[in-house]
Amino acid sequence: MSPAEDVQATETLLARARAAKLGSVAEKILARERLSLDDGLALYRTPDLYTLGALANHVRERLHGDLAYFNVNQHVNYTNHCNKFCAFCSFDRLPGQEGAFWLTPAQAAQKITAQLHEPVTEVHMVAGVWPKIPYAYYLELLRAVKAAKPTIHIKAFTMVEIDQIAKVAKKPVPEVLEELKAAGLGSCPGGGAEIFSERLHKEGYRLKISGQQWLDLAREVHRSGLRSNCTMLHGHIETQEERVDHLDRLRRLQDETGGFQTYIPLSFHPANNEWSHLPGPSALDELREIAVGRLMLDNIAHVKAYWIMLTIPIAQLALSFGADDVDGTVVEEHIYHDAGAKTPQEVQRGELVRWIQDAGRVPVERDTLYNVVWSADETLAQVGQPAPVLR
Ligand code: V47
């Protein structure tokens, strides 16, 4: 786009935003100023989803141009034993219950070995929490996975699991993190945050760590030198105010640590859980959530449209509503499929590339830490080049 076309596009966007009564918010966005909590509420309340999407797309393109990231990864859920009984969860089982499983480290490693013919760079490993799982298990799990594929990056353990691991280890969290790192932990995924609101914690997941504890643990993880992701579970009984508060609390921690790489809004899936009477979010709610996340979280570089949860067409649309990442090849997924997801369990690398291109974006294969592995963009094609950074 020429500079004159750029000015014209900005004027058009501003005019559209003023017509949608989002003029003052748009002015802040264009001036790269931080949005307030009231601005966040205005974004949730606007009936003009397309102008909201255009504003988020403006920020997305300012940060990443046309690039859209994906990775070649595999998920391993090492157990579904869990004693938290979260109302939204369809994955948890008690030991002995039908469908319950707990993989030995060797069985988890076997899942990595089974994919050695694929160029997998990351394993995403999360599970339920069960107090009888000993500390040594977690260390052996990491070591076994690393032994199966020494080059693999292990992104494992939500803050809920880190809390549990430190409890069974009977050691302070920083010491446990050092030991997990020495055994092979490379970063942490973003799950388990749900909605930080104390009201919702009491109502839906009171046995789990609180929102404040989740944030405090993420701070420790970042202090230990590990990067992590962050999430928000939306589309159940939360209010717009609770969502804005959640985003603000993530943003404030990120100001402090800079340790979050990617934000992933998680759409509630209602099958087979205590909240099955709820409808779950619509596709339009999901696009709105991606867009509001992109605009509020001005200090987090990436917003992920997790295709397993969204479906492929909505993930493609999300790439023009603020998202710049679609996650990866996945291979085996339980959490969303137990909760009714109809998406496939796995896609091939080539399919991800094609979907991104069909959505009008330039695919970039990244590793977990956003180093470029491959790109259709010639200037990025050089292996190992770091992805563009925030601002
Ligand atoms: O922690 C559980 C959520 C999370 C349901 O970091 C549900 O790259 C919707 O965090 N409906 C796990 N959500 C998934 C997750 C994740 C996924 C992909 C990538 C990354 C990343 C993280 O899923 C759980 C919980 O918050 N969840 N049950 C459900 N019925």
Side-chain angles (χ1 to χ4, degrees):
M1 211 186 276
S2 71
E5 284 169 335
D6 209 20
V7 170
Q8 180 61 45
T10 305
E11 284 305 317
T12 308
L13 183 58
L14 203 48
R16 246 177 105 176
R18 286 189 182 124
K21 299 191 172 56
L22 291 173
S24 62
V25 185
E27 279 164 23
K28 285 190 192 175
I29 292 166
L30 294 171
R32 301 172 191 234
E33 283 172 25
R34 176 154 288 192
L35 302 186
S36 67
L37 303 193
D38 283 342
D39 294 333
L41 281 177
L43 297 175
Y44 275 126
R45 288 176 185 159
T46 180
D48 190 343
L49 178 65
Y50 299 101
T51 297
L52 167 61
L55 289 168
N57 190 50
H58 173 85
V59 173
R60 180 246 190 269
E61 290 186 354
R62 189 163 75 200
L63 293 171
H64 306 291
D66 271 338
L67 305 181
Y69 298 94
F70 71 96
N71 70 351
V72 181
N73 67 348
Q74 72 180 107
H75 285 209
V76 174
N77 300 123
Y78 55 90
T79 186
N80 58 1
H81 295 179
C82 196
N83 66 353
K84 301 300 174 202
F85 306 108
C86 301
F88 58 80
C89 185
S90 321
F91 170 72
D92 61 324
R93 298 285 183 283
L94 290 170
Q97 200 181 338
E98 194 187 340
F101 66 85
W102 176 24
L103 304 183
T104 63
Q107 286 169 326
Q110 176 52 35
K111 290 187 182 284
I112 307 298
T113 311
Q115 293 297 318
L116 282 179
H117 59 287
E118 296 288 351
V120 174
T121 59
E122 169 191 285
V123 56
H124 167 112
M125 208 157 56
V126 298
V129 291
W130 189 251
K132 289 198 175 141
I133 299 180
Y135 181 43
Y137 170 84
Y138 296 98
L139 298 171
E140 281 164 26
L141 180 67
L142 294 168
R143 289 189 197 114
V145 165
K146 270 285 183 197
K149 185 165 187 172
T151 56
I152 210 162
H153 177 106
I154 306 181
K155 179 181 73 172
F157 309 140
T158 65
M159 298 309 101
V160 184
E161 288 157 281
I162 296 288
D163 174 68
Q164 177 62 27
I165 297 170
K167 277 193 181 118
V168 286
K170 297 193 174 65
K171 293 181 183 185
V173 171
E175 197 178 323
V176 167
L177 289 171
E178 286 312 310
E179 290 175 354
L180 294 174
K181 273 162 58 181
L185 183 65
S187 64
C188 292
E194 322 317 353
I195 293 259
F196 294 142
S197 137
E198 286 71 26
R199 175 188 80 88
L200 275 176
H201 184 253
K202 272 199 205 110
E203 189 131 343
Y205 32 91
R206 66 191 167 78
L207 298 179
K208 180 177 243 172
I209 56 170
S210 68
Q212 192 52 52
Q213 285 172 304
W214 189 97
L215 288 160
D216 291 342
L217 285 158
R219 181 183 295 104
E220 293 290 351
V221 164
H222 298 167
R223 277 193 186 144
S224 82
L226 293 171
R227 312 297 301 273
S228 74
N229 291 338
C230 56
T231 58
M232 177 173 77
L233 180 66
H234 70 94
H236 42 90
I237 58 168
E238 82 286 6
T239 63
Q240 291 167 340
E241 286 80 0
E242 285 166 332
R243 279 188 242 154
V244 171
D245 171 68
H246 184 100
L247 294 173
D248 181 55
R249 287 164 84 171
L250 289 176
R251 188 168 69 175
R252 281 189 274 143
L253 181 59
Q254 179 73 345
D255 278 342
E256 224 183 292
T257 68
F260 290 127
Q261 298 202 110
T262 305
Y263 166 66
I264 311 134
L266 298 174
S267 317
F268 170 59
H269 277 46
N272 309 318
N273 58 52
E274 273 180 51
W275 283 349
S276 287
H277 56 287
L278 300 172
S282 68
L284 299 183
D285 295 334
E286 295 181 311
L287 291 173
R288 181 182 297 270
E289 213 50 66
I290 296 265
V292 176
R294 179 59 287 165
L295 292 170
M296 289 299 285
L297 298 173
D298 54 18
N299 52 3
I300 298 184
H302 301 280
V303 173
K304 187 185 283 185
Y306 181 38
W307 67 265
I308 285 268
M309 164 194 83
L310 291 175
T311 75
I312 292 147
I314 297 171
Q316 286 176 309
L317 271 172
L319 292 176
S320 296
F321 273 76
D324 62 278
D325 192 303
V326 294
D327 203 81
T329 45
V330 179
V331 182
E332 181 182 339
E333 202 283 332
H334 292 279
I335 297 173
Y336 282 88
H337 287 86
D338 286 355
K342 299 280 184 286
T343 44
Q345 290 260 345
E346 171 179 22
V347 292
Q348 298 303 312
R349 185 184 174 285
E351 290 177 277
L352 281 177
V353 168
R354 203 168 47 252
W355 298 339
I356 291 172
Q357 283 171 334
D358 287 350
R361 298 301 189 184
V362 177
V364 181
E365 184 187 339
R366 59 163 179 87
D367 67 11
T368 311
L369 302 175
Y370 286 86
N371 296 301
V372 175
V373 175
W374 168 89
S375 176
D377 180 313
E378 281 174 15
T379 57
L380 285 178
Q382 197 190 333
V383 171
Q385 183 159 345
V389 290
L390 194 68
R391 288 177 199 274

